[in-house]
Amino acid sequence: MILKILPYVSVFLGTLLVTLILTPVVREINRKLGMVDKPDPRRINKVPIPRGGGLALVLGVSLAYAVFLLVTGRNGFYGLPGDLFWKMAVLSWVIAAVGLADDKFSLPPKVKLLGQLVVAFLVWWWADLGFGDLWPNLPWWLDCVLTVFWITGAVNAFNLIDGLDGLASGIAFIATLGMAGGVFFVHDPASTLFYFAFAGGLLGFLRYNYHPASVFLGDCGSMYIGFVLATLPLLSHMPNSFLVSVGVPLLAMGVPIFDTSLAILRRTIRRLIARGDTASGQVMTADTDHLHHRLLRRAGLSQRKAAWTLYGLTAVAVVFGLVAMSLESRAGGLWLGALAIIAVVIFKDATIEMFDAGRLLNRVAHTHDRDSRRRIAVWSVPFYVIFDVLMLGAAYFICVSSMGLPQSEHTLRTFLPVRVVATFAFLVFFGAYRTVWSRAVGSNYLRLLIACVLGSVAGSVFLYYWPSANAVRVNAMTFTYLVVSFSLLVMVRVFRGFVRDLFYALDCSRLRNRKDVSRVLVYGAGLRYKSFRRELVRTTSANERMIVGILDDDVYLKGKYIGGIRIYGTINDAPEVINALNVDAVVIACIVSDEWLKVVKQILAPT
């Protein structure tokens, strides 16, 4: 047993020791070369710290593992051609060199991305590795695209997550052990030797990178880590072993991958918002909204606690993946479940992306350009038509399913079109597509209801005399289809208002903690209040006012909510409400006479 585990222990301790020795040396060299991260508003470090320390990791892993191979006489990757290891070693040094150049000279983002793409392509073309080894029937061009995308994505994922002391190196250490476990249980254990070597190097560097860090990975280290973790699964050469080759690595790198996905989404939206502004809105421009930044801001965690939170999430994902491998037929379900849990945990804090999306949609929907507004008005009609037809079809299937009615190809070709066409015809007749639904009142929805009633009845009359129709089922379908179709059509029309309320709620959450925001109390809960709030929603990007409460002379409204805002009472309650809510201004959103305005001013005067 000792002889069996000795190679794993020796290669782990060897890279650990070499990296422990090299890291302080590289740190001081980089300090003298001026490769130092100085404190600024975007960075978390409070003192200058050398970057580019990942070079010690690259040298430690490469030297220690090369010595191990020479001493033991093994191939680079067990069971694979001997020259493959050296090809992959060269490509890993190239990607590290690109990162080191960025650490020293701050390369343009596009140049750095080009270097990553070239190296990823060489993995597929020169080293002859790719997803085609896992899925033999994959077309060569798709194999190339997937391989390049996978490697480039992993490289950038670890590059972006490296914003907290010890975060990238710690997550990579957990991910490496998890991936080694996956290969160990289903493949020859000797093929995991490099995993242990890489884990030893990561742990050795983590000694200096853990908070308070004395050296940073820099792009050299983070890109090297991403490259290694992306290419190790491709070296498994186990066709159709999805969990080992893709599943466990994807879960192990789940935190960096999801963080990168959010970053791309966020920066793309901001670029669209800032179009025409050359100073902002670049997709590759760094920001302070990564997962670790949010943990530090929202939860008030220290760097260590934030890092351990993300360590724990990575470890849980790895355990899920390893357990899934032992469940055989149910493995895929558990793997998807784990992926869904990670996605929910990470994306549940996507308020920033949702708010930015709201700003973008508001800009599109409320642009003051006349031609743009005309185009929006023209396209809104096809939008309602398409969704109405879809909803009418959905209503039919809901009714059939809930009533347990048998269906065949013949009934679908007959009954479905009749129901949809009959109701749609009455929608057109009653002017459903000439109505501005964002300003709709009760009478508009009454006409919508009448159209649904007549459409459902007309469809039933037609089907009642159809030769193959069942009269009892047709009659039962009439009322059911009426209720379901009307509900779905109303849902389509109120969706815009729901989205507007959601964006306003996100806007309020953004403004709540700002000290320069004016806290507004509104007097009047009628249509003028809705117009005032709509105006605030339209100007979310430059808004500095937030409604904190409502007053209304209708005493029966006290304690109720309109659009998520509470009605605190009548104007006579204003002094107490103003003091309790720390109100800065009162907005009158109702019709008042001159005499009553004087009374209102007298009531508000003491506050």
Side-chain angles (χ1 to χ4, degrees), residues 68 154 220 338 411 446 456 528:
F68 173 81
C220 173
T411 56
L446 178 61
S456 182
R528 286 174 175 78

Side-chain angles (χ1 to χ4, degrees), residues 173-204:
F173 177 74
I174 298 171
T176 302
L177 294 181
M179 292 163 60
V183 176
F184 188 90
F185 288 121
V186 301
H187 201 37
D188 195 319
S191 61
T192 62
L193 282 169
F194 184 78
Y195 289 85
F196 283 90
F198 190 55
L202 289 168
L203 189 60

Side-chain angles (χ1 to χ4, degrees), residues 482-503:
L482 157 65
V483 174
V484 176
S485 61
F486 176 70
S487 301
L488 293 179
L489 293 177
V490 170
M491 185 176 65
V492 170
R493 282 151 177 78
V494 302
F495 179 74
R496 180 178 178 182
F498 169 78
V499 173
R500 183 169 59 242
D501 289 340
L502 174 62
F503 289 156

Side-chain angles (χ1 to χ4, degrees), residues 61 97 151 173 198 274 291 299 358 372 383 419 432 465 479 487 550 575 591 599:
V61 172
I151 296 174
F173 177 74
F198 190 55
L291 293 177
S372 298
F383 170 85
R419 291 289 182 186
Y465 292 100
F479 179 75
S487 301
I550 305 172
I591 299 176
V599 174

Side-chain angles (χ1 to χ4, degrees), residues 228-266:
V228 171
L229 292 183
T231 53
L232 280 177
L234 302 179
L235 290 163
S236 63
H237 275 241
M238 289 181 290
N240 302 319
S241 181
F242 172 79
L243 282 176
V244 176
S245 302
V246 179
V248 173
L250 189 59
L251 288 174
M253 294 188 287
V255 171
I257 289 173
F258 280 115
D259 182 59
T260 302
S261 301
L262 279 176
I264 293 173
L265 172 64
R266 179 175 62 251

